[in-house]
Amino acid sequence: DAMVIQNPRYQVTQFGKPVTLSCSQTLNHNVMYWYQQKSSQAPKLLFHYYDKDFNNEADTPDNFQSRRPNTSFCFLDIRSPGLGDAAMYLCATSREHGETQYFGPGTRLLVL
Amino acid sequence: GENVGLHLPTLSVQEGDNSIINCAYSNSASDYFIWYKQESGKGPQFIIDIRSNMDKRQGQRVTVLLNKTVKHLSLQIAATQPGDSAVYFCAEIKGNTPLVFGKGTRLSVIA
């Protein structure tokens, strides 16, 4: 009965090689979020979608893009991963803005 | 800017004792607060929440207290168990803006 699903759980990529992380939800929530979390730090919001409306955080690097083709799926594209992009990437959903966010298990990205 | 922070980065507690994890916030306009538990290698898990019109809310073995006068939030865990070992984050939400996480406290339960 998983509600927020992330695939893969572990991803290894090479420096500069594009990579896509995926997230799906069975909650039919309007809002989907992508966070980056580095060791011993709090999750940092990269961007979020309300339905198809995209909202980018001001300090999110241009290297990070996102797509939401439908309500259930949201993708994080890293165009040219650098060593500093190695982190846990968390997807979350909420029914509406300002409501509880539910997180997926995360994808741990390793950049070689 | 306004932010959410924690007083204690690490907390060690004897199994069976009660745990108290504290969080200070500076945005008086925040109206919704959430505690998350994050185990190693997993995503944050919702524990309990509280709205700004309340000062206490209880769940199973957990209680959240909100003191708006001093802008302080706490999470109390009764009869702490080894499975409670994790990093705990407080988070605040103001209106329709995305939530803001605090820095996190690592809880270690000593058997």
Side-chain angles (χ1 to χ4, degrees), chain B:
Chain B
E2 299 193 85
N3 56 66
V4 176
L6 295 176
H7 296 301
L8 299 173
T10 60
L11 178 66
S12 294
V13 176
Q14 201 75 32
E15 181 179 0
D17 287 352
N18 297 335
S19 303
I20 300 176
I21 301 172
N22 296 302
C23 175
Y25 66 96
S26 57
N27 189 344
S28 58
S30 290
D31 49 17
Y32 183 41
F33 303 88
I34 306 170
W35 279 101
Y36 286 96
K37 171 187 180 183
Q38 187 174 26
E39 296 176 88
S40 181
K42 297 183 178 180
Q45 176 189 1
F46 172 90
I47 302 174
I48 193 168
D49 58 0
I50 189 168
R51 298 223 170 252
S52 58
N53 61 351
M54 303 172 68
D55 53 21
K56 181 180 180 179
R57 191 155 190 236
Q58 286 185 293
Q60 186 177 10
R61 281 201 309 119
V62 294
T63 300
V64 55
L65 299 177
L66 175 62
N67 186 332
K68 293 181 287 294
T69 303
V70 295
K71 297 183 187 129
H72 185 265
L73 190 71
S74 70
L75 176 70
Q76 300 179 1
I77 304 173
T80 312
Q81 303 169 357
D84 295 326
S85 294
V87 177
Y88 289 81
F89 291 100
C90 64
E92 62 173 345
I93 295 176
K94 183 185 74 173
N96 289 333
T97 60
L99 64 82
V100 175
F101 279 99
K103 292 183 181 178
T105 293
R106 182 175 300 279
L107 175 66
S108 294
V109 180
I110 304 166

Side-chain angles (χ1 to χ4, degrees), chain A residues 9 37 42 97-98 100-101 103-105, chain B residues 32 36 38 41 43-44 46 95-96 102:
Chain A
R9 295 293 314 278
Q37 186 179 29
H97 279 310
T100 305
Q101 291 184 23
F103 285 81
Chain B
Y32 183 41
Y36 286 96
Q38 187 174 26
F46 172 90
N96 289 333

Side-chain angles (χ1 to χ4, degrees), chain A residues 101-112:
Chain A
Q101 291 184 23
Y102 297 94
F103 285 81
T107 294
R108 184 165 295 282
L109 179 68
L110 181 62
V111 182
L112 300 178

